[in-house]
Amino acid sequence: MNSRCPFFTKMHPLVLLIYILGILIVTMSSLNPLLLSLSLISGIAVLVFLKGRKAKLVHIIFFSIPILIFMILIQPLFYHTGQTVLFYVNESAVYKENYIYGGIVSLMLIAGVVWCMVLRELLDSEKIYYLFGKLSPTLGLFFTMILRFIPLMRERLEQIHEGEISMGRIGPNAGHIATIRNRLKEVSILVGWSLESSIETANSMESRGYGLKGRTSYNRFNFKGLDIGLIILESLALVYMIAVLVTKGFRVYYLPVIILNKWDIFNILGLIVFASFALLPIIQEIIYKIWEAMNND
């Protein structure tokens, strides 16, 4: 686990699950530009805080470009609703409101993907199996194996490719056909390697009694007082944010005209609660460092 955020990542998996699900629910349920901007900025901040220098923000820019191109440049050409006409395409009007709506939807999707990246950092395969293993052992094992084998297969493919290069089978001047042929060969090797590993894994699971009635499994997660306190705080914050959503406090209309809801103390407090909830790993780490420094003194 990354050492940049040791305190929050050591919390009970249920604390982490409520945190991530709460952020995703609120983010994907609103088109308020201010809330989505807070969600995206907070998600990037938490991701950088968790991964440190390993947080490659260029990846966020890479997957954001196709979303922006489709939602802002292409989608308005086929969705003709709005009030302010910008130009005409084949006698069909293209409205300003469509571009604004496409930009907001793009912001929501990008923020959702960033928080999924945070989820990947907080919940590893062991924690996911602990959370869902008792409800459905097969489903929990299924998700655990997916999270394990996707990076494993990528690593194995890189090893195979490096091995092909070291043996001189792939040269810098190879043509396109030769490159494609070598890539297909590497994939074939990867499939054979994966099948062999799956057989070994199945034999290992059988020898350890997987699927037998009464079999128990070890886990290292125990509820502590701080875990229960955080679950209560997270639940209260989530209930409040959902209440703001249900009462349409964050509601913004874009089509056919842009209508912004009037801000009141209820909505402003909702944004403050959301920002605090989203930045919980950083806030908790700061409090922990202050508490640790005071005890050391």
Side-chain angles (χ1 to χ4, degrees):
M1 188 63 65
N2 199 310
S3 60
R4 283 185 61 87
C5 190
F7 193 66
F8 189 74
T9 52
K10 291 180 180 179
M11 303 302 297
H12 194 272
L14 186 58
V15 176
L16 307 179
L17 181 65
I18 295 175
Y19 167 73
I20 289 295
L21 288 183
I23 292 294
L24 288 174
I25 289 173
V26 177
T27 299
M28 306 306 291
S29 301
S30 175
L31 289 177
N32 187 290
L34 186 55
L35 184 141
L36 293 177
S37 299
L38 283 175
S39 178
L40 179 59
I41 294 172
S42 301
I44 294 175
V46 172
L47 185 63
V48 172
F49 185 71
L50 292 174
K51 299 192 68 174
R53 295 181 179 180
K54 294 182 180 180
K56 299 180 179 179
L57 300 182
V58 67
H59 291 171
I60 299 177
I61 299 175
F62 179 76
F63 70 70
S64 299
I65 292 176
I67 298 176
L68 292 172
I69 290 176
F70 177 78
M71 296 303 301
I72 297 180
L73 299 181
I74 299 178
Q75 181 265 350
L77 300 178
F78 301 94
Y79 198 85
H80 306 291
T81 301
Q83 187 179 37
T84 307
V85 179
L86 295 179
F87 54 88
Y88 290 88
V89 176
N90 295 330
E91 299 182 356
S92 298
V94 177
Y95 298 91
K96 179 183 71 175
E97 288 77 11
N98 278 324
Y99 282 101
I100 297 175
Y101 178 76
I104 296 300
V105 173
S106 300
L107 183 62
M108 179 187 68
L109 295 176
I110 295 170
V113 174
V114 170
W115 281 109
C116 288
M117 296 171 67
V118 175
L119 182 149
R120 181 181 175 185
E121 293 299 316
L122 291 178
L123 294 177
D124 55 18
S125 58
E126 182 183 6
K127 294 176 181 177
I128 291 180
Y129 185 73
Y130 169 79
L131 290 169
F132 300 101
K134 292 183 179 179
L135 296 176
S136 176
T138 303
L139 185 61
L141 181 63
F142 176 73
F143 285 123
T144 301
M145 294 181 69
I146 289 177
L147 292 176
R148 173 72 180 103
F149 279 112
I150 290 178
L152 179 61
M153 292 183 71
R154 184 189 305 134
E155 180 181 344
R156 286 177 175 175
L157 186 60
E158 292 178 357
Q159 293 178 6
I160 295 171
H161 182 66
E162 292 175 357
E164 293 290 308
I165 294 176
S166 63
M167 289 187 291
R169 295 177 180 176
I170 300 178
N173 299 323
H176 295 293
I177 297 178
T179 302
I180 294 174
R181 186 184 296 114
N182 288 325
R183 284 296 185 179
L184 292 175
K185 181 180 178 181
E186 293 173 4
V187 173
S188 176
I189 297 173
L190 175 64
V191 171
W193 190 358
S194 300
L195 290 175
E196 183 180 355
S197 297
S198 64
I199 294 174
E200 294 177 357
T201 302
N203 293 333
S204 176
M205 292 172 62
E206 184 180 3
S207 64
R208 297 181 184 185
Y210 178 79
L212 296 180
K213 186 176 180 180
R215 177 182 177 271
T216 59
S217 58
Y218 167 79
N219 69 78
R220 56 185 177 87
F221 306 111
N222 295 313
F223 272 111
K224 300 177 182 178
L226 182 58
D227 296 320
I228 298 175
L230 276 178
I231 289 176
I232 295 174
L233 288 176
E234 288 178 338
S235 300
L236 292 175
L238 185 56
V239 168
Y240 185 85
M241 290 184 291
I242 292 177
V244 178
L245 289 171
V246 172
T247 56
K248 300 180 180 181
F250 293 143
R251 179 66 60 86
V252 178
Y253 297 93
Y254 295 95
L255 300 173
V257 295
I258 299 176
I259 301 176
L260 301 176
N261 281 3
K262 294 182 179 180
W263 286 97
D264 53 25
I265 187 63
F266 183 68
N267 301 341
I268 295 174
L269 185 58
L271 287 177
I272 295 174
V273 171
F274 177 78
S276 302
F277 188 86
L279 295 173
L280 180 61
I282 300 176
I283 295 174
Q284 189 182 36
E285 189 69 14
I286 293 174
I287 295 175
Y288 174 73
K289 294 297 183 183
I290 295 175
W291 176 80
E292 191 177 44
M294 292 175 61
N295 287 343
N296 290 337
D297 293 340

